[in-house]
Structures are given as C-alpha cells and as structure tokens.
C-alpha cells in the first residue's frame, strides 16, 4: 500500500496569482474601493457569471455573508431562523449576531434535513438557512415547495458545497441568497473570505451598503442607481469587506474549479466503493438530483459500541490517519450540544444519534487514486484491528 498523503494541508495557490499579488503589494492598493476595477469587483463579476446569478458581493467570510443576508431580509429582533442541527457553529452564531433566534431542525443518518421535522417547525419560523453540510444536499425541491408555500425566504449556506449541483442547478442559486466560504479548507482558498449571490436587486443593494460601501462606493458595483439611492444613509455599515489580496488569490482558482470538482467526485466515489461492503461502514448515497463536489468523505460506523468507535479513531490515528466522529470528539464545533451560547436549549435525538456515528475524513481534490486507496486501506485496517480486538 502506498504512503498516506498529507490530508490536512490546504490547497496551494496557483502561480498565476503571484504576479498579481506582487503588483498589488507594490501599489499598496489593498482596499477594494481604491480603484474602479479592483480584483474584488472582478471576482464578483466572474463568480456571479460562473454560478449563473445576477449579483455577487464578496465579503470577509461566509459567516459575514450569512449575517448580511439575514440583515438584508429585514428580519426583526427575535425572528426565528430554522437551520439544520448538523452544521458548523458559525451558522447559529451568524443568526445570533443578527439578533435572531436559531431553531434547529433534525437531520437524518444520511446527514440531510429531516423533512417531517422541517415541515413541523417551518410555520413558526421567519427565515430558513439550509446548510449543505460537506456538500450533502438536502431535498431542495421539497424544501423550496414548503418554504414558498409558507412565504418564508431561504438562504443557502453553501460554504463547503461550491460546485455541487441539484437537478442541474448550482447549489447557492436555488434559494433567495447563496453564501460561500473561501476559508482555507473549502474548495477555493484565500485563507479567509466569503461571497454571497442573489438575483434580487433590493437584497444586493442593502447587503452591499451594509458590507461597508459607505458614501457613494456602491457606484463601483454594477449600477443599480435607483435601488442604491433608496437605501443611502438608511443602513448601518458593518464593514465586512474583502481585501484585494484575497480576491487576487481566488480569481485564478476559479479557473481550476471544474477540475477540482471532477477530481473531488472521482476521489470520493473511489474511496466510497472500497469502503462499501465493509460490515461496519455505511456510506449514505447522494440523492438522485444531487451531483456532489466533495473534498472529504463521511460514513457511519454501524454495529459498533461507543468504545469501539473511539477505539477505531485512536487506531486510525496510530496508523497516521486523522479521522473524527463529529459527536465523539471533544468540543467539536459541529455538535449542537456544544453550542452553549444558544439560550433556547434544544434536544434533537436523531441528529445526536447520527453525529455519534458519523465519521469525517478529508480527501483533498489533489489526491491521486493510489493515495485514496491508501486512505481507504488504512480505514479498513483500523476497523479490522478494532473489531477483532473484541473491545466491548
Ligand atoms: C466553513 C463553514 C462556514 C463558515 O465559513 P467562514 O468563511 O469560515 O465564516 C459556514 N457553514 C459551513 C457549512 C461551513 O462549512
């Protein structure tokens, strides 16, 4: 078996970015509104076009994008926002930041939103955030039908799902607003950064101003003069702008996206095929309408006790492979019971059961098939050792 690859390293920055970064550093022009055609403005145009959306606004993080989306929707204080209980802590945090109240929806063993629980909680909520966790897409047809009927706006948290499609449509373009992350472990890496997309003029104008387009800086966005003048001086400036260096790092990676998506899917499916058939592993399949862009794999450890699950993680670590069972690793930010900042304590038995068995392994898109085989082989080895050791 070949050597285990480095799974924790981020994607390196394409050489094409270096000349642009040098140019920017020499001019000192790091502020997005320093010139009319800054790399941030260009990135917004290119990203909107690539996704097939009318408008894009680049900001400092996906969390900032989610916060600005909630603000642009004009939700009043204490408005209820329905979101999956399986998500990253930054998502309920953005809701709290926007003075709203997170309501958690159950997720099933396939990591997707439990539609019965969604239907039950929706009527009481003023907005919905759908986190496509690790690219696992919930049934967007059912969700949009229910949300539209209830007249509740949907924000897509596609932070870690760039490149995934649902029935041929890009994830992030199905709800009213889509939010993405450029943090180092997402599909495009600028260290930190985010972007939101929408077709709605009123939402983008408000988000642009609130992101920090003070005075007449909104004129450096695709001109929607009337809508912008309507909001002039009427909104707070939260200053969540992206700086030009980050945009310069992202732009050449946008060209590589198709290739990364293809390799990510190939790698994921190759590992899934090897793991499938192991009596202790269940790899949930994608929904029929979903075409994923994974840079990691998740699977459930079946027919194992808590002790055996913990043993497996330790065993894999001793073989050099970092795995994590979301609900069994201390202080995991994706385990809802660790969100102690939430005032309304919520219990979600289905999601808790799933998190206690769902195992997460990074599979960077740069891996070769041989390296993927080394990862899969190590998982199977660690399981065999664990389960033949007869730990109770
Ligand atoms: C990473 C991530 C976020 C937060 O993105 P930042 O850019 O770090 O704020 C939100 N939601 C999900 C599902 C994520 O994976």
């Amino acid at each position: 078996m070949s050597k285990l690859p480095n799974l924790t390293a981020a994607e390196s920055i394409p050489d094409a970015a270096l000349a642009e970064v040098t140019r920017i550093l020499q001019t000192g022009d790091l502020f997005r509104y320093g010139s009319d055609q800054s790399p941030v403005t260009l990135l917004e145009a290119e990203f909107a076009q690539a996704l097939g959306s009318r408008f894009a606004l680049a900001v400092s993080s996906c969390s900032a994008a989610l916060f600005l989306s909630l603000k642009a929707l004009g939700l009043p204080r204490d408005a209820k926002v329905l979101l999956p209980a399986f998500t990253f802590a930054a998502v309920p945090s953005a809701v709290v930041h926007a003075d709203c109240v997170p309501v958690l929806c159950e997720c099933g063993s396939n990591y997707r939103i439990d539609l019965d629980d969604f239907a039950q909680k929706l009527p009481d909520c003023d907005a919905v955030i759908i986190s496509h966790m690790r690219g696992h897409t919930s049934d967007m047809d059912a969700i949009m039908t229910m949300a539209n009927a209830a007249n509740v706006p949907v924000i897509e948290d596609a932070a870690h799902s760039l490149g995934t499609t649902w029935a041929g449509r890009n994830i992030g373009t199905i709800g009213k607003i889509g939010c993405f992350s450029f943090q180092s472990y997402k599909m495009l890496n600028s260290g930190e950064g985010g972007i939101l997309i929408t077709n709605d003029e009123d939402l983008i104008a408000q988000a642009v101003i609130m992101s920090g387009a003070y005075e007449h800086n909104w004129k450096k966005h695709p001109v929607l003069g009337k809508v912008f003048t309507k909001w002039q001086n009427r909104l707070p400036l939260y200053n969540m702008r992206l700086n030009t260096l980050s945009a310069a790092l992202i732009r050449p990676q946008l060209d590589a996206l198709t290739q990364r998506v293809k390799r990510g899917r190939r790698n994921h499916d190759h590992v899934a095929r090897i793991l499938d058939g192991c009596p202790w592993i269940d790899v949930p399949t994608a929904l029929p309408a979903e075409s994923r862009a994974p840079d990691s794999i998740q699977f459930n450890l079946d027919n194992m006790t808590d002790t055996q699950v913990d043993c497996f993680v330790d065993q894999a670590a001793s073989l050099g492979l970092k795995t994590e069972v979301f609900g069994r690793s201390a202080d995991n930010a994706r385990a809802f019971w660790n969100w102690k900042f939430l005032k309304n304590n919520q219990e979600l038995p289905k999601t808790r059961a799933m998190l206690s068995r769902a195992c997460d392994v990074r599979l960077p898109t740069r891996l070769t098939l041989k390296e993927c085989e080394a990862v899969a082989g190590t998982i199977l080895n660690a399981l065999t050792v664990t389960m033949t050791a007869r730990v109770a």
Side-chain angles (χ1 to χ4, degrees):
M1 201 162 69
S2 49
K3 225 174 116 250
L4 274 175
N6 182 341
L7 296 184
T8 48
E11 216 57 60
S12 68
I13 303 300
D15 289 344
L18 300 184
E20 177 67 351
V21 166
T22 306
R23 183 194 69 78
I24 293 170
L25 292 179
Q26 283 166 347
T27 60
D29 200 1
L30 299 169
F31 179 49
R32 71 157 296 169
Y33 295 124
S35 70
D36 287 345
Q37 286 289 303
S38 87
V40 182
T41 305
L42 297 173
L43 170 66
E44 286 168 346
E46 290 158 359
F47 195 89
Q49 162 137 48
L51 272 285
S53 187
R54 277 183 79 195
F55 309 110
L57 171 68
V59 289
S60 51
S61 68
C62 180
S63 300
L66 290 167
F67 166 78
L68 290 169
S69 301
L70 294 166
K71 283 297 188 192
L73 286 170
L75 295 172
R77 181 175 289 271
D78 291 333
K80 289 181 178 164
V81 180
L82 186 58
L83 57 114
F86 177 38
T87 187
F88 185 56
V91 180
S93 304
V95 174
V96 170
H97 189 193
D99 291 322
C100 298
V101 178
V103 175
L104 306 182
C105 180
E106 286 273 32
C107 295
S109 61
N110 67 351
Y111 318 134
R112 292 166 177 83
I113 284 172
D114 180 301
L115 293 174
D116 291 336
D117 200 43
F118 184 87
Q120 197 169 3
K121 289 173 176 166
L122 179 67
D124 202 29
C125 291
D126 306 287
V128 167
I129 297 179
I130 301 294
S131 279
H132 305 295
M133 265 309 263
R134 296 284 197 277
H136 301 290
T137 307
S138 293
D139 184 340
M140 287 308 287
D141 294 340
I143 286 168
M144 292 311 296
T145 302
M146 284 191 260
N148 287 339
N151 203 18
V152 175
V154 173
I155 300 167
E156 286 182 84
D157 166 22
H160 209 152
S161 303
L162 179 60
T164 298
T165 59
W166 175 264
R169 294 172 69 186
N170 284 312
I171 282 302
T173 65
I174 298 168
K176 246 186 162 18
I177 310 177
C179 302
F180 300 84
S181 175
F182 300 141
Q183 186 267 341
S184 283
Y185 297 135
K186 313 298 163 101
M187 201 54 115
L188 305 177
N189 168 23
S190 68
E192 304 287 355
I195 197 162
L196 68 85
I197 55 172
T198 181
N199 288 332
D200 188 306
E201 296 185 355
D202 220 43
L203 289 178
I204 196 71
Q206 293 178 75
V208 163
I209 291 175
M210 286 190 284
S211 75
Y214 60 90
E215 296 166 353
H216 291 168
N217 278 314
W218 50 259
K219 289 182 179 160
K220 291 168 182 157
H221 289 262
V223 179
L224 289 167
K226 256 200 195 133
V227 194
F228 279 115
T229 48
K230 175 176 138 196
W231 291 107
Q232 184 82 58
N233 301 336
R234 294 186 49 202
L235 298 167
L237 304 170
Y238 294 106
N239 284 11
M240 296 171 152
R241 297 173 299 253
L242 189 71
N243 86 53
T244 60
L245 278 182
S246 305
L249 301 179
I250 292 296
R251 290 183 61 217
Q253 295 180 61
L254 210 45
D255 299 332
L257 179 61
T258 312
Q259 194 58 23
R260 286 186 191 173
V261 169
K262 218 191 253 174
R263 285 186 67 118
R265 193 176 301 151
R266 180 200 69 170
N267 289 351
H268 173 279
D269 293 352
H270 192 59
V271 172
R273 264 193 302 272
I274 298 172
L275 298 183
D276 214 24
C278 169
W280 302 292
I281 290 184
D282 163 46
V283 190
T285 48
L287 298 183
E290 178 186 357
S291 196
R292 283 189 286 193
D295 59 5
S296 63
I297 188 166
Q298 289 72 43
F299 52 87
N300 297 322
L301 293 168
D302 272 358
N303 310 313
M304 289 170 68
T305 63
D306 283 349
T307 315
Q308 288 169 330
V309 167
D310 298 342
C311 241
F312 159 74
V313 172
D314 292 344
Q315 191 60 42
S318 76
L319 296 174
L321 181 73
K322 185 180 182 288
T323 66
E324 202 168 55
V325 173
F326 296 110
R328 301 287 310 165
S329 81
D331 304 323
N332 194 299
R334 294 152 210 89
F336 63 86
W337 53 88
N338 288 331
W339 306 339
K340 301 222 164 75
F341 55 88
L342 294 189
K343 294 208 174 63
N344 50 343
N345 208 354
Q346 301 170 64
E347 193 37 60
L348 300 116
K350 274 191 190 171
T351 311
R352 182 183 280 271
M354 176 272 282
L355 290 169
S356 307
R357 288 295 178 271
C359 186
D360 187 31
V361 181
R362 258 170 70 75
L363 283 180
T365 63
R366 62 175 176 274
L367 298 194
T368 63
L369 287 179
K370 280 250 164 333
E371 290 172 323
C372 290
E373 284 158 17
V375 173
T378 306
I379 294 170
L380 295 178
N381 277 349
L383 265 175
T384 307
V385 172
T386 304
M387 298 314 284
T388 50
R390 306 215 166 274
V391 257

